[in-house]
Amino acid sequence: MLRLSASISLHYPPSLSPSVSQPRPRRLRALVVAASASPSARSLRLLEWGKVCRAVASFAGTVHGREATEKQLWGVEDVSYERSRKLLRETEAAVRLLGSSGGALDFSGLDTVAVESAINCVSGGSVIKGQEAMAVVSLMLFVESLQVTIKAAMKQDEDSHNLLLPLTETILDAVVSKPLVKSIQDVIDDDGSVKDTASPELRRYRDQVQALESRLCQLMDKLIRNADNEASLSEVSIVNGRCCIKITGDKSSSFDGLLLSSGSDSGSMIEPIVAIPLNDELQGARALVVRAELEALSKLTDKILLELDNIQILMQETVTLDKVTARARYSIAYDGTLPDLYLPNIVHGIVNAAKDGPAGTTSSSQVTKRPWKLFIPNAYHPLLLQQHQENLRRTKKDVASATSEIRRRRIYGQDIADEDQLASELDFMKIRVSELERNHPIPVDFMIAEETTVLVITGPNTGGKTISLKTVGLASLMAKIGLYILASEPVKIPWFDAVYADIGDEQSLTQSLSTFSGHLKQIGAIRAQSTSQSLVLLDEVGAGTNPLEGAALGMSLLESFAEAGSFLTLATTHHGELKTLKYSNDSFENACVEFDEENLKPTFRILWGIPGRSNAINIAERLGLPLDIIESARQLLGTAGAEINALIMDMEKFKQEYHEQLQQAQHYLMQSKELHNDLEVAQKSIVDHSTAQRKRKLRVVSEYAVMARSIIHKKFQQYRESAVAQRVLEEEKAAEKAKSEGAKGPEPSSTSALKKTQNTNSSMVTKANDEDGGIPEVGDLVYVPKLKNQATVVKIDPSKNEVQVQAGMMKLKLKLKDVKVQKQRTSR
């Protein structure tokens, strides 16, 4: 712990390091440090940047990671714009990696202190220790697992690959020596002790030690049992590694031995004479074991020395990744937003943003698109948010502990006389949790137009003006060092080369310097060092002196910053004269913190474009101050002041109505968008339904058409077969009739001629078929015996041994054997 504290203290700026040369009173030491500090370093203390650094560093998993994180955050002043962009890309990549595989980035199991000690031992020629060697193994195995996880995350999509590659390229290229890991695991056990299998000599010597210890135990037990001395008690003890007998009582021992120590209360330590040789032999065997272990570790050290460069690279890259992961974990834990960080361009004295401002809509902001110099909706002060979450988490833990204690007492039947008190405390803690959940820190909207150079914030004390200044300052530093900003999306913020602050309230550690002279000295130093890329935060400008002179001096200072000072200046004041600067200089803008006159307390909301008004007389009236005093004060204030306050009240009322109507318009806009989306979904559903119905109808019609064609085809087939059968039957009847008529007498010459012609044709077809004997071709003229007529071939299907022929208007599908090919063919 001392080592860690010392190393962390080195990372603070010199102005923050405590002086140890001579003890000084705390107040005097603060004055000396503040006097010697630069304006920027003092500004970091006023903004409590150190607390933010420690909060972020606490998310690192290793000691070296916490040290490196805090050191990097303290170096925010030296970070360039390009470096800031790189840091933000690293944080974004780590957030993406945590989202895909958060468990793989848990560095808490690594002992980087032991790894560093191992590296120093090996490089310095010393022998490594067993626990240090196992720490090296844990580091190498962790990096190997991490490489697998990163490669899997990079394969998800091209965007992840491009985002993760710059952050993880070095660690992916790092070499993990698996032979070295195996060598260490073969020699060293998980607890850091040397294994028996490290060498044959070590096993033999350890067996020898075990045997000697067993013999000594048996000997001592025998001596104690043989000692017949009831007035004394004996027990075996170890003194400097030697086995002895401890005797308590008045009588002396019954065996001879060396008296090592004696005392009336603690007893006497005696090493029996018979045990001395065994003790000497045991001491020698143990020395041999130590020497064998040292030899095994020495050989292991030589192997580690060969891989020392790779181990150092693994150590360095692991700490670097732990540092980036700490920023990412902090950003995720407090629901941060990746800021759009831009570098201001100064062209002919006119400030232009490097990018167009985001179009953001919040409950208290415009919905119109316009260029912003700074746009941070719903911004939280990081320390206030951290304190609230810690209090809420602590209170919930107390509730869980109290509930568990009550349940435990009831289960085990313990005395529950104070159960009512415990229940009362539990109820109180639950009420406390409800209050914390209800009293969440109030966010603030910051919307500064591009043409604004100086913002003047007015309002009552404890209204949140100083917290608003600190919130902007810390947000600027966080974006510059690569942290997400604790706000809602989108966030646009310029890169500032420095953040200067002069804040002298009760929250500051340097309240003793918040005098008029101290303010002037700090503001003068800020004015001298601020540039056209700086952020200046001034709290209570012109306070601490005569109001007229303070107001005049404040106006002059702010006009100086507007003309040739910082890129952006935020100032709080109680002087009403500073509100008028907006109406004579376009670089100025007014804002005020809202005050609830009904409940007489601030709302911690900022009203933009409205100057704050005095509420002292109205508050005094509501608090019951006599009316004559109130009227006298108003007369002394004058009608002009009253008219101005009335005008401001009207502006505030108009602003409030505007925001209410704006919220209503946003609500109607969201409803119209939802209705439009629902209409589009319904329209798409109707189109899809119509398309599906049309396809279904077409499918049904097609199915019926197929069925109709099938029925017609079957009917036609049946009709054709019936016609063929009828014709064949008629021909057979005609043949029988002709045969019967021929038996009665000679046929007429015409009939004989017809039969002769048919016989001739039949013999000619048979002869042609016998001579051809081949498969007909499309267009051939064939003879169909069933039809007793000729037909033309229109289609041939050799696979089915079928042929389709046409005879007149009739088409038939027949087997090849049912047709006879004729040599005469139709013209093709």
Side-chain angles (χ1 to χ4, degrees):
M1 182 62 69
L2 293 176
R3 177 181 178 184
L4 174 59
S5 301
S7 61
I8 289 179
S9 65
L10 296 176
H11 299 152
Y12 285 83
S15 59
L16 299 181
S17 300
S19 175
V20 294
S21 58
Q22 294 181 357
R24 298 182 180 181
R26 182 177 181 182
R27 181 183 179 88
L28 179 60
R29 186 165 62 250
L31 288 173
V32 172
V33 173
S36 61
S38 64
S40 57
R42 183 173 182 270
S43 299
L44 293 180
R45 290 201 314 276
L46 293 176
L47 294 173
E48 299 176 287
W49 177 243
K51 293 182 180 180
V52 178
C53 295
R54 289 189 290 273
V56 178
S58 66
F59 284 87
T62 64
V63 173
H64 287 74
R66 289 188 286 274
E67 294 177 0
T69 301
E70 196 163 356
K71 180 180 179 181
Q72 183 187 59
L73 295 179
W74 270 114
V76 64
E77 295 176 314
D78 301 326
V79 177
S80 63
Y81 172 71
E82 291 75 16
R83 177 64 177 165
S84 297
R85 298 285 296 180
K86 182 180 179 182
L87 291 174
L88 283 173
R89 287 194 296 269
E90 289 178 352
T91 306
E92 183 184 7
V95 169
R96 179 78 62 88
L97 196 57
L98 284 171
S100 59
S101 55
L105 291 178
D106 185 7
F107 297 85
S108 59
L110 298 179
D111 189 355
T112 55
V113 176
V115 175
E116 184 183 33
S117 178
I119 293 173
N120 293 334
C121 286
V122 174
S123 60
S126 302
V127 178
I128 195 173
K129 298 178 182 179
Q131 292 181 346
E132 296 172 348
M134 290 308 298
V136 173
V137 169
S138 298
L139 175 65
M140 300 178 77
L141 293 178
F142 175 81
V143 172
E144 185 180 18
S145 174
L146 185 60
Q147 289 175 342
V148 175
T149 303
I150 293 173
K151 291 177 181 178
M154 294 175 67
K155 290 180 180 179
Q156 292 181 356
D157 50 62
E158 186 177 357
D159 182 48
S160 299
H161 180 274
N162 297 332
L163 183 63
L164 296 176
L165 184 60
L167 173 63
T168 60
E169 184 175 9
T170 305
I171 201 167
L172 288 177
D173 295 336
V175 178
V176 177
S177 177
K178 294 183 179 180
L180 178 60
V181 173
K182 186 177 184 304
S183 299
I184 296 176
Q185 291 177 336
D186 290 342
V187 175
I188 308 298
D189 210 341
D190 293 338
D191 59 356
S193 61
V194 182
K195 292 182 177 180
D196 294 340
T197 57
S199 66
E201 294 80 6
L202 179 59
R203 177 182 288 276
R204 185 170 66 252
Y205 295 150
R206 284 182 173 174
D207 292 342
Q208 184 178 353
V209 168
Q210 187 176 3
L212 290 172
E213 289 177 345
S214 177
R215 290 174 58 187
L216 271 172
C217 288
Q218 294 175 2
L219 176 62
M220 293 299 175
D221 184 62
K222 181 178 179 182
L223 291 174
I224 291 175
R225 283 189 286 104
N226 292 337
D228 187 10
N229 192 350
E230 298 180 355
S232 62
L233 298 176
S234 303
E235 61 180 9
V236 179
S237 299
I238 303 297
V239 179
N240 295 329
R242 303 182 72 85
C243 196
C244 304
I245 296 178
K246 179 179 179 181
I247 299 176
T248 57
D250 298 333
K251 294 184 179 181
S252 60
S253 62
S254 60
F255 51 82
D256 298 330
L258 300 177
L259 181 63
L260 301 182
S261 65
S262 63
S264 58
D265 296 331
S266 61
S268 301
M269 291 290 184
I270 299 176
E271 182 180 3
I273 295 295
V274 294
I276 291 177
L278 286 177
N279 273 327
D280 293 341
E281 189 175 355
L282 179 60
Q283 293 291 82
R286 285 174 176 169
L288 292 175
V289 169
V290 172
R291 188 175 67 181
E293 290 178 349
L294 189 62
E295 290 177 355
L297 291 174
S298 179
K299 293 179 181 178
L300 197 60
T301 303
D302 294 336
K303 294 181 180 180
I304 295 176
L305 182 61
L306 299 176
E307 297 289 339
L308 187 60
D309 292 340
N310 290 333
I311 295 175
Q312 289 176 331
I313 293 175
L314 292 179
M315 174 73 170
Q316 179 182 355
E317 294 304 320
T318 301
V319 171
T320 300
L321 195 57
D322 188 19
K323 178 174 58 178
V324 178
T325 306
R327 301 200 307 264
R329 289 187 184 277
Y330 176 85
S331 302
I332 294 173
Y334 295 103
D335 197 18
T337 297
L338 177 65
D340 177 14
L341 187 68
Y342 72 94
L343 184 65
N345 296 328
I346 311 300
V347 182
H348 302 298
I350 301 176
V351 179
N352 297 317
K355 297 181 181 179
D356 291 333
T361 58
T362 63
S363 60
S364 59
S365 64
Q366 298 102 308
V367 296
T368 56
K369 193 179 217 180
R370 60 178 298 183
W372 299 104
K373 176 176 285 188
L374 185 142
F375 188 90
I376 312 177
N378 296 324
Y380 288 97
H381 190 289
L383 298 181
L384 291 181
L385 189 60
Q386 175 189 350
Q387 182 182 9
H388 176 267
Q389 290 193 4
E390 288 178 354
N391 292 338
L392 183 60
R393 183 166 53 251
R394 190 183 306 112
T395 307
K396 287 183 176 180
K397 184 178 179 181
D398 293 340
V399 170
S401 299
T403 305
S404 177
E405 177 65 18
I406 293 176
R407 183 171 58 252
R408 186 184 65 81
R409 293 190 178 190
R410 289 177 177 175
I411 291 177
Y412 292 101
Q414 296 182 356
D415 183 19
I416 55 175
D418 57 345
E419 182 177 349
D420 293 339
Q421 182 179 357
L422 284 175
S424 177
E425 293 177 356
L426 179 61
D427 293 337
F428 175 77
M429 286 186 287
K430 289 181 178 180
I431 294 173
R432 175 62 176 162
V433 170
S434 300
E435 290 179 351
L436 288 173
E437 291 178 344
R438 185 170 58 254
N439 298 327
H440 194 272
I442 300 174
V444 181
D445 296 326
F446 290 97
M447 300 165 293
I448 301 177
E450 191 178 48
E451 63 274 7
T452 301
T453 304
V454 178
L455 176 66
V456 179
I457 305 176
T458 55
N461 291 327
T462 69
K465 300 190 303 296
T466 304
I467 290 295
S468 299
L469 291 185
K470 289 185 174 183
T471 301
V472 175
L474 290 176
S476 303
L477 294 172
M478 292 169 66
K480 185 177 181 181
I481 203 61
L483 289 167
Y484 281 21
I485 292 179
L486 310 188
S488 301
E489 295 181 352
V491 172
K492 179 182 179 181
I493 191 168
W495 177 88
F496 297 106
D497 60 357
V499 177
Y500 298 102
D502 178 55
I503 300 174
D505 63 340
E506 295 179 355
Q507 299 172 3
S508 175
L509 296 177
T510 57
Q511 184 181 4
S512 57
L513 294 180
S514 59
T515 61
F516 181 70
S517 58
H519 276 297
L520 288 182
K521 185 176 181 180
Q522 177 70 3
I523 293 175
I526 291 174
R527 180 65 184 84
Q529 294 190 10
S530 63
T531 68
S532 58
Q533 292 183 335
S534 301
L535 173 64
V536 175
L537 307 172
L538 304 177
D539 189 29
E540 299 297 344
V541 179
T545 186
N546 180 276
L548 294 178
E549 292 182 351
L553 188 58
M555 293 176 68
S556 178
L557 284 172
L558 294 183
E559 287 178 341
S560 174
F561 279 108
E563 291 176 0
S566 63
F567 178 69
L568 180 61
T569 301
L570 275 66
T572 66
T573 184
H574 281 292
H575 296 300
E577 291 81 359
L578 272 64
K579 309 171 189 176
T580 62
L581 291 172
K582 172 185 177 180
Y583 307 105
S584 60
N585 192 331
D586 294 336
S587 300
F588 283 77
E589 180 59 86
N590 285 330
C592 67
V593 290
E594 189 179 37
F595 187 81
D596 186 0
E597 294 187 6
E598 295 293 333
N599 299 316
L600 298 180
K601 63 180 182 179
T603 63
F604 304 103
R605 293 177 61 246
I606 292 182
L607 302 179
W608 295 91
I610 298 177
R613 59 185 176 88
S614 175
N615 296 286
I617 297 179
N618 293 335
I619 292 175
E621 183 179 9
R622 289 184 179 275
L623 291 177
L625 207 63
L627 291 178
D628 56 343
I629 299 177
I630 299 297
E631 293 299 330
S632 176
R634 285 174 176 167
Q635 290 177 3
L636 291 175
L637 180 63
T639 58
E643 291 176 355
I644 292 175
N645 281 337
L647 178 61
I648 294 176
M649 287 181 63
D650 292 339
M651 293 177 63
E652 290 180 357
K653 183 178 180 181
F654 172 75
K655 192 83 172 182
Q656 186 68 25
E657 292 177 353
Y658 165 74
H659 285 304
E660 292 177 357
Q661 293 177 3
L662 179 61
Q663 293 178 11
Q664 189 177 9
Q666 291 176 356
H667 176 68
Y668 289 150
L669 179 61
M670 292 300 297
Q671 282 187 337
S672 64
K673 287 183 178 180
E674 292 177 357
L675 292 174
H676 178 70
N677 294 334
D678 294 342
L679 182 60
E680 287 183 343
V681 171
Q683 183 179 6
K684 185 177 182 301
S685 177
I686 292 173
V687 172
D688 294 342
H689 180 72
S690 300
T691 304
Q693 287 292 96
R694 186 166 57 254
K695 290 181 178 179
R696 189 183 66 82
K697 290 180 179 179
L698 291 174
R699 185 173 61 254
V700 171
V701 170
S702 177
E703 292 175 355
Y704 279 118
V706 171
M707 292 175 60
R709 284 195 297 268
S710 177
I711 294 173
I712 293 173
H713 180 70
K714 288 182 179 179
K715 293 293 184 181
F716 180 74
Q717 187 73 14
Q718 293 175 358
Y719 171 75
R720 184 174 58 187
E721 292 176 356
S722 175
V724 171
Q726 182 68 24
R727 185 170 180 179
V728 170
L729 182 59
E730 291 177 352
E731 290 180 352
E732 289 178 354
K733 289 181 178 180
E736 291 178 357
K737 183 178 179 181
K739 185 177 181 181
S740 61
E741 290 177 354
K744 294 179 180 181
E747 295 181 353
S749 59
S750 60
T751 305
S752 300
L754 177 60
K755 287 185 177 182
K756 185 178 180 181
T757 302
Q758 290 178 350
N759 292 334
T760 303
N761 291 337
S762 177
S763 61
M764 180 183 66
V765 169
T766 303
K767 183 178 180 182
N769 196 22
D770 292 339
E771 290 179 357
D772 190 5
I775 298 176
E777 297 180 1
V778 176
D780 286 351
L781 192 65
V782 296
Y783 178 76
V784 182
K786 290 183 179 180
L787 298 178
K788 294 184 178 181
N789 200 354
Q790 294 179 346
T792 304
V793 177
V794 296
K795 185 176 180 182
I796 301 175
D797 190 355
S799 61
K800 297 183 179 180
N801 201 20
E802 292 180 349
V803 61
Q804 185 176 357
V805 298
Q806 183 172 359
M809 298 298 294
M810 183 174 57
K811 289 185 178 180
L812 296 175
K813 184 179 290 186
L814 304 171
K815 296 293 185 180
L816 284 173
K817 63 182 182 179
D818 295 335
V819 299
K820 298 184 182 297
V821 181
Q822 295 181 347
K823 286 189 177 182
Q824 294 86 1
R825 296 179 179 177
T826 60
S827 59
R828 298 180 183 177

